[in-house]
Amino acid sequence: MAEKDITEKTLEAYNDVFADIINVLLFNGRRYVKENELEEESPNSSYKADGKIHAQERDIAKYWRKGLVRIALYGLENQTDIDGDMPLRLFSYDGAAYRSQLLKDKEMKEKTGMAAPRYPVVTLVLYFGYQKHWKKPKSLYDCLDIPEELKPYVNDYRMNLYEIAYLSDEQVQMFTSDFGIVADYFVQMRKNKNYIAPETTIKHVHELLQLMSVMTQDNRFEDVYDPDMERRTTKMCEVLDRIENRGIQKGEDLILTLMRYLLSNNRTEDAKRATEDTAYRNKLLAEISNNE
């Protein structure tokens, strides 16, 4: 899981991609957040339970600042699966961020006598599933069994959930970074169960293919990567051509391996039938796979 999380956040850690996601999802495409206004924040925080200190980690966190003034702290959380406890997790992350502000405020008052400025914490959950909507809890209320008598005294916490595969075509077109390619892929897969690559040039090739590999659970996206793709114009249609050609080559190699195996074991009749009967050929391929 740790390796997967690292891969997921590589593309979005670029300021151009991070700002693009915030501007489209929060501000309807208006370019409020600029790349050079984003500053890295450690995604790590901790909490105390059972007398022990436990670490917790966001996927990505960045400050949005104008000059020396921090306007907000943004967090991104990637989800390929639906997590019914997600509101509780986010409440913990955001609470730790506000707790950090209190500690900095105390430190600043001790040093200068002045209060540290306070800023909001905004976390976005990016859900990449395209087979079904997120139908698990989306708020703290949904996670808890609250007696009616207590509800007026329990503060709710709503998570900012964005189902990438269910964005509108207009929203997808608002993206100007590589994330637009990612969003377009999942929207097309939801609608058509198929993907036709756009003529969009990829800026962060390796990171995009890593993200696609993890989110689709298809290693071919990362397997076709070549460092030379970074030194020239690379488009998604080329990536798909490479994937298709690799699939064809792999299929041909499997058939050659099967034929060598059958002929070396004097199974000429099986070899002949395998050339004519696809189902039988697949059965034989499974057989030699189990024997390896």
Side-chain angles (χ1 to χ4, degrees), residues 233-245:
T233 299
T234 299
K235 299 183 178 182
M236 202 61 181
C237 51
E238 176 194 338
V239 172
L240 291 190
D241 287 343
R242 287 185 174 223
I243 289 174
E244 183 177 351
N245 291 336

Side-chain angles (χ1 to χ4, degrees), residues 61-124:
K62 290 180 183 284
Y63 290 115
W64 178 28
R65 64 191 310 158
K66 297 280 189 180
L68 298 177
V69 179
R70 284 179 178 171
I71 301 174
L73 173 65
Y74 290 119
L76 294 182
E77 298 296 322
N78 290 325
Q79 287 294 123
T80 53
D81 300 315
I82 298 172
D83 183 355
D85 290 329
M86 199 70 195
L88 292 170
R89 288 175 52 195
L90 299 183
F91 189 74
S92 176
Y93 295 157
D94 290 356
Y98 284 119
R99 174 64 177 169
S100 177
Q101 291 188 45
L102 288 176
L103 294 175
K104 290 177 182 177
D105 180 68
K106 180 181 178 182
E107 181 181 347
M108 186 168 177
K109 284 179 178 176
E110 290 175 350
K111 290 182 177 179
T112 67
M114 299 175 61
R118 308 289 173 80
Y119 47 85
V121 179
V122 181
T123 302
L124 288 68

Side-chain angles (χ1 to χ4, degrees), residues 180-216:
I181 298 173
V182 178
D184 180 55
Y185 173 88
F186 285 97
V187 169
Q188 286 197 46
M189 290 300 294
R190 173 182 62 83
K191 288 182 175 181
N192 311 317
K193 308 302 180 187
N194 188 35
Y195 176 63
I196 299 175
E199 288 292 319
T200 307
T201 299
I202 305 172
K203 182 177 180 181
H204 309 293
V205 182
H206 192 204
E207 292 78 9
L208 174 71
L209 296 183
Q210 281 184 318
L211 181 68
M212 292 295 295
S213 181
V214 171
M215 293 304 180
T216 62

Side-chain angles (χ1 to χ4, degrees), residues 118-135:
R118 308 289 173 80
Y119 47 85
V121 179
V122 181
T123 302
L124 288 68
V125 176
L126 310 182
Y127 170 56
F128 291 89
Y130 62 87
Q131 301 288 354
K132 57 184 178 180
H133 278 290
W134 183 295
K135 293 185 179 180

Side-chain angles (χ1 to χ4, degrees), residues 43-47 54-58 89 92-97:
N44 300 305
S45 61
S46 60
Y47 62 94
H54 300 267
Q56 59 183 6
E57 182 178 1
R58 291 178 177 269
R89 288 175 52 195
S92 176
Y93 295 157
D94 290 356

